[in-house]
Amino acid sequence: MRTPQPRSTSRPIDVACLGRLAVDLYAQQIGARLEDVTSFAKYLGGSSANVAFGTARLGLHSAMLSRVGDDQMGTFLLETLSNEGCDVSQVKVDHERLTALAILGIKDSTSFPLLFYRENCADMALQADDIHEAFVARCRALAITGTHLSQPGVLAASQRALELARKHDVRTVLDIDYRPVLWGLTGRGNGEQRFVAAEHVTQHLQAILPSFDLIVGTEEEFAIAGGSEDLLTALRAVRAVTSAALVVKRGPLGCSFIEGAIPANIDDAPTYQGARVEVLNVLGAGDAFLSGFLAGWLSGESIERAFAWANASGAIVVSRHACAPSMPGRAELDAFLGREGSITRPDLDAELAHLHRTAVPRKAWNELYVFAFDHRTPFFELAREAGADESRIPRLKTLLVEAVAATERANQLEGHIGLLLDDRYGQDALNAATGRGWWIGRPVEVPGSNPLEFERGRSIGSQLVSWPREHVIKCLVQFDPDAEPLHRVEQETQLLALYDAAKLSGHELLLEVIPPGCTSQGQRDDLVLRSMKRIYNLGIKPDWWKLCPPRNEAWAAIDALIAERDPFCRGVLLLGLNAPADSLAAGFAEAANSSTCRGFAVGRTLFSEPAKAWLAGSIDDATLIDQARSAFEAMIRAWQKGARHTQGNPVKEGAAA
């Protein structure tokens, strides 16, 4: 590639993206008129933000240069980029303007009604003073989108960034990103329109094109940059003002790459074809293309490989609902390319779907202490035994949340605390626990059901719509790999439905596998292992397993199975089954050498006695909290001692006093 190569990798920022940073609301009813849409999914959006997100997911150190409003949507965008690994230190919070918004419908494969809500929005208020020389000097490449050339203020900011990039030998990239509505050339309700000829826009763009090393655009975008609807004429006009390398995106034909003179025929330029896939939503595919290309180019890949990444990234995203959340990670990209164009529906491919789920950055839970009080029947029975009204159980569960919080505070266990909690008795407690940074699991099974039934009926997916994304689906299944075929088919059908719902909703899934009717621990360990194998054979890959504590010799087989079938599995939690604390401590010690065990999820052993006393009125709220906390901290100490894990701060004796 004769275009200047990227700067040395010694610079800490691979690519800084300057431009649109907004919230996208995508219609969930495919085929409906935008007027008839009833619900929307919320995503990070804006072309520059999509590229910052996509390059970060592919392993680059990306950064965002823009503004967001001092509002909840601005916080959402900052957190989304940060969670993906993107540097947001140069995103200014604008206290006078709201975060930008776009609303999209998906009518069919060629019609995408689009509304931009960008009147006096935050990202279009970016100013030259927002661009800091010291930061630009730390970058290898600067990518700017055409929208931020359309207004005087953002144009000045873009020119300032380009001047500093030239001064510090930073490679410059333009995504033409032509949206006529954002140049005031169409009615505001016509955001879908992709091309309107406008001489003043052409002149405006051509004045700044010489500042770029690389220019990327569709055929329509080069038509506006070159002032002609004939592609070759437009390209020659662009070449007359800039020596930049030109990347022409040609949809299903792939892309053409021109470094020198414009050829007599566009097909005479080096053309890199991509895989043909079925289209769901074209919006965002160009951002995915540029993300893939920059990831390859800035990683030192050949130009052929960089364009393979670009085309594959665009093909994957064009088949899915969203833009940024649909961006592939490296494992998914490699899998797609490795199958040589045989995947025509990336959105339906099981391997890609799993790799995509696991590419999403997730909070690390290397060691978890989970207080499980998601039980429903045991709490009802405790209330009945104590002569208490069932209506007191929700208050009890809220107090147990306070006990968990007290344990975290007193022992500095941030990043290690979790709970299992239901929404039948514990909705108020769930609301109190959510947003604290805890691991939170919620049950979906009918207690004691065998074959498996879901508490809210078979339409499990409709239940998950109302769940916060941070909540983990927990399903206890009494699974017997040797059960009668009809019984096993019913169990497996339910599990498959649950897994499909989890993939669609984006929630993590924990399967608690308990083999019924075991007469010995050896038999139980064997049945658990064979049950896990059977579940994997069904194509189900839970994020978490919850198991009875296996013997030391059984752990090797469990670890090996998980490593073979799903190396992205989050791990195993040990359950309690109301066992005595000494018995659980022995089980913790057996897990000391496991590579997959992440902690415990224990309940009745901890809460039974204090809960019964509180329901009977023999202890008050504060005493309940102290006793539950004391039992929880004793269990944590047993784990830290038995499993010899000390990633969290050790909990000392008497800490709850």
Side-chain angles (χ1 to χ4, degrees):
M1 188 174 178
R2 292 193 297 274
T3 300
Q5 288 295 303
R7 286 285 308 178
S8 164
T9 55
S10 62
R11 293 192 178 185
I13 302 297
D14 291 314
V15 58
C17 299
L18 187 156
R20 286 194 284 132
L21 174 57
V23 170
D24 282 349
L25 297 180
Y26 278 25
Q28 293 182 306
Q29 289 74 47
I30 310 301
R33 302 185 312 155
L34 193 52
E35 295 89 332
D36 299 326
V37 169
T38 58
S39 62
F40 297 87
K42 175 171 67 78
Y43 306 124
L44 174 137
S47 53
S48 291
N50 288 336
V51 174
F53 182 101
T55 50
R57 179 161 288 185
L58 286 170
L60 294 188
H61 293 103
S62 69
M64 190 71 208
L65 295 167
S66 191
R67 285 191 181 194
V68 295
D70 185 17
D71 51 48
Q72 293 88 342
M73 294 300 98
T75 302
F76 159 71
L77 295 175
L78 291 172
E79 290 179 353
T80 301
L81 286 171
S82 295
N83 290 342
E84 203 67 37
C86 178
D87 185 323
V88 295
S89 63
Q90 305 303 300
V91 179
K92 183 176 181 179
V93 176
D94 191 316
H95 299 283
E96 299 179 1
R97 299 168 183 85
L98 290 172
T99 301
L101 172 69
I103 295 179
L104 172 83
I106 304 176
K107 185 68 182 70
D108 52 46
S109 62
T110 60
S111 179
F112 305 91
L114 178 60
L115 302 176
F116 289 102
Y117 290 80
R118 302 185 59 80
E119 298 297 323
N120 194 32
C121 66
D123 67 25
M124 290 299 286
L126 191 70
Q127 299 177 0
D129 290 346
D130 294 333
I131 311 301
H132 302 293
E133 181 172 0
F135 184 82
V136 174
R138 299 171 60 225
C139 300
R140 301 174 63 213
L142 170 70
I144 295 178
T145 55
T147 300
H148 271 55
L149 308 177
S150 64
Q151 302 294 327
V154 286
L155 173 63
S158 300
Q159 289 174 323
R160 167 70 172 163
L162 289 167
E163 291 169 2
L164 294 174
R166 287 298 188 206
K167 178 179 178 181
H168 293 282
D169 198 24
V170 177
R171 303 299 170 249
T172 52
V173 180
L174 173 67
D175 180 357
I176 299 173
D177 185 40
Y178 182 46
R179 301 286 186 180
V181 69
L182 300 181
W183 291 79
L185 300 175
T186 70
R188 294 181 180 178
N190 198 17
E192 180 183 6
Q193 188 165 350
R194 304 304 292 265
F195 180 76
V196 173
E199 184 178 356
H200 73 282
V201 175
T202 298
Q203 293 175 350
H204 188 77
L205 289 174
Q206 289 188 1
I208 202 168
L209 292 182
S211 299
F212 293 96
D213 298 315
L214 179 72
I215 300 172
V216 182
T218 63
E219 294 181 42
E220 294 89 351
E221 288 169 340
F222 274 106
I224 191 65
S228 173
E229 294 185 46
D230 177 75
L231 177 60
L232 290 171
T233 301
L235 290 172
R236 292 188 184 104
V238 169
R239 177 56 75 226
V241 299
T242 179
S243 60
L246 309 178
V247 178
V248 185
K249 296 183 289 186
R250 302 175 64 191
L253 298 178
C255 61
S256 297
F257 181 59
I258 305 171
E259 286 192 283
I262 306 302
N265 188 308
I266 188 62
D267 291 326
D268 293 335
T271 298
Y272 302 90
Q273 295 185 346
R276 298 292 186 97
V277 298
E278 293 190 29
V279 174
L280 174 63
N281 177 14
V282 299
L283 295 180
D287 302 332
F289 175 95
L290 183 55
S291 297
F293 176 79
L294 291 174
W297 184 43
L298 293 167
S299 298
E301 299 287 341
S302 67
I303 193 66
E304 293 81 7
R305 189 66 175 166
F307 280 124
W309 287 13
N311 286 324
S313 296
I316 289 170
V317 169
V318 82
S319 74
R320 292 174 174 162
H321 188 256
C323 178
S326 297
M327 298 279 191
R330 274 298 306 275
E332 183 183 1
L333 191 63
D334 290 344
F336 182 85
L337 290 169
R339 288 163 65 180
E340 299 180 352
S342 64
I343 304 174
T344 59
R345 291 292 303 271
D347 57 322
L348 298 181
D349 186 86
E351 180 189 14
L352 293 188
H354 183 62
L355 292 174
H356 187 74
R357 275 173 61 85
T358 58
V360 176
R362 299 182 288 183
K363 184 172 181 176
W365 299 109
N366 296 320
E367 187 166 359
L368 265 173
Y369 314 135
V370 178
F371 196 148
F373 47 102
D374 58 317
H375 310 71
R376 285 136 289 168
T377 302
F379 275 96
F380 175 80
E381 292 174 346
L382 281 174
R384 186 173 58 182
E385 291 173 15
D389 194 283
E390 182 183 4
S391 63
R392 296 191 65 203
I393 299 176
R395 171 63 179 165
L396 170 59
K397 295 206 171 193
T398 301
L399 293 173
L400 291 176
V401 170
E402 294 184 25
V404 173
T407 295
E408 180 188 47
R409 287 193 304 269
N411 299 282
Q412 299 178 0
L413 292 176
E414 293 80 6
H416 298 283
I417 289 295
L419 52 79
L420 282 168
L421 185 55
D422 64 296
D423 56 18
R424 183 196 297 179
Y425 294 126
Q427 187 62 61
D428 289 343
L430 275 171
N431 296 343
T434 301
R436 294 175 181 257
W438 295 349
W439 185 98
I440 299 175
R442 291 174 66 171
V444 294
E445 78 282 351
V446 172
S449 59
N450 187 12
L452 175 66
E453 295 181 40
F454 298 129
E455 196 161 49
R456 302 298 173 86
R458 287 185 178 269
S459 183
I460 184 65
S462 61
Q463 178 184 353
L464 300 177
V465 170
S466 64
W467 284 26
R469 181 65 63 89
E470 68 189 90
H471 291 185
V472 176
I473 304 164
K474 172 259 179 181
C475 181
L476 186 157
V477 57
Q478 299 183 51
F479 196 90
D480 183 356
D482 303 321
E484 292 295 323
L486 287 178
H487 179 94
R488 194 177 69 247
V489 166
E490 176 65 15
Q491 293 275 66
E492 294 173 353
T493 299
Q494 288 285 74
L495 286 176
L496 284 166
L498 177 61
Y499 186 54
D500 287 342
K503 289 190 293 183
L504 185 62
S505 71
H507 293 91
E508 293 185 5
L509 172 63
L510 176 148
L511 287 185
E512 179 175 352
V513 177
I514 298 180
C518 295
T519 58
S520 68
Q521 182 159 347
Q523 181 191 25
R524 185 184 69 191
D525 289 345
D526 175 68
L527 285 174
V528 166
L529 182 65
R530 290 197 290 119
S531 296
M532 294 173 67
K533 288 181 179 178
R534 177 59 188 168
I535 291 169
Y536 276 132
N537 288 345
L538 293 171
I540 298 171
K541 296 181 178 181
D543 302 276
W544 298 90
W545 295 97
K546 186 178 176 206
L547 307 176
C548 298
R551 297 168 302 167
N552 180 269
E553 55 267 31
W555 271 114
I558 291 172
D559 291 343
L561 177 66
I562 292 174
E564 175 191 358
R565 299 297 187 90
D566 184 16
F568 300 102
C569 178
R570 304 278 262 158
V572 177
L573 297 177
L574 300 181
L575 57 86
L577 280 182
N578 204 23
D582 290 347
S583 175
L584 290 175
F588 296 166
E590 297 277 5
N593 297 317
S594 169
S595 61
T596 60
C597 188
R598 298 289 177 264
F600 64 83
V602 173
R604 282 175 292 177
T605 305
L606 306 180
F607 68 69
S608 289
E609 292 305 318
K612 185 175 180 180
W614 183 86
L615 287 166
S618 58
I619 61 173
D620 61 11
D621 292 358
T623 304
L624 169 73
I625 292 170
D626 284 346
Q627 291 184 5
R629 175 183 160 191
S630 178
F632 188 29
E633 292 179 350
M635 190 62 62
I636 295 172
R637 288 194 299 272
W639 169 265
Q640 292 174 339
K641 179 180 178 181
R644 296 191 294 277
H645 292 165
T646 56
Q647 294 173 18
N649 294 327
V651 176
K652 298 178 181 179
E653 293 282 353

